[in-house]
Amino acid sequence: MELEGRLTMSAEQDFQQVGAELADLGVRISRMMGNPSLKDQAGKVFASLQRDGAMVFRLVRDTPEHAAALQLAGASLFDPSGRGREMKDWVVVPHSAAEKWTDLAEIALSRPR
C-alpha cells in the first residue's frame, strides 16, 4: 500500500487488511477479551489490536524477529495488566509502524504455540 493511503487509514482498517491478507493461510478475525484478534486454523490467537490502536504479536522471545520488533519506535513488551507483568513472547507495535504489521503477523503465525 502506498504511504499516502496508509496515513489516512485507521488502526482498525489496517488490522482488517492484515486479516484479509492472511485469510488464504487459514487466518480468521475474531475477538478475545473485547479486542479484535487474529486466530490460526486451530483457533489460537497470535495477534490482537489494542484499544490504543497498537497491535500486539506473539513473536517468541530470543528470536531475531522479536528483537527487531522491539527496536521499532514505540514498540514494547506486552503488559496487559499494566502492572509490570510483561508477557515476554508478545511485542506491542504502534500504529505508526503499521506497514510492518502484515510481516509481523506472518511471523507470529509461523511460531509454534
Side-chain angles (χ1 to χ4, degrees):
M1 174 179 286
E2 65 197 39
L3 182 59
E4 291 174 12
R6 168 89 41 216
L7 294 175
T8 61
M9 289 183 72
S10 72
E12 176 71 28
Q13 289 170 316
D14 283 328
F15 171 83
Q16 293 290 332
Q17 182 168 338
V18 171
E21 289 177 16
L22 300 181
D24 288 347
L25 300 175
V27 171
R28 61 186 169 84
I29 295 175
S30 186
R31 292 190 86 72
M32 183 167 185
M33 296 192 289
N35 292 329
S37 300
L38 298 178
K39 291 184 177 180
D40 64 16
Q41 290 180 334
K44 303 272 187 178
V45 172
F46 63 92
S48 180
L49 183 66
Q50 302 304 290
R51 288 180 182 89
D52 65 0
M55 200 161 161
V56 60
F57 303 91
R58 185 180 182 279
L59 296 173
V60 183
R61 71 188 99 179
D62 301 326
T63 62
E65 296 85 3
H66 185 273
L70 283 173
Q71 295 300 310
L72 295 169
S76 63
L77 290 176
F78 184 45
D79 180 6
S81 71
R83 297 184 179 149
R85 289 182 265 214
E86 298 161 333
M87 297 178 73
K88 294 183 180 9
D89 286 338
W90 293 77
V91 177
V92 179
V93 178
H95 187 236
S96 59
E99 73 279 357
K100 306 277 189 195
W101 284 3
T102 298
D103 291 340
L104 292 169
E106 287 177 344
I107 293 163
L109 176 63
S110 73
R111 297 288 182 236
R113 281 174 284 297

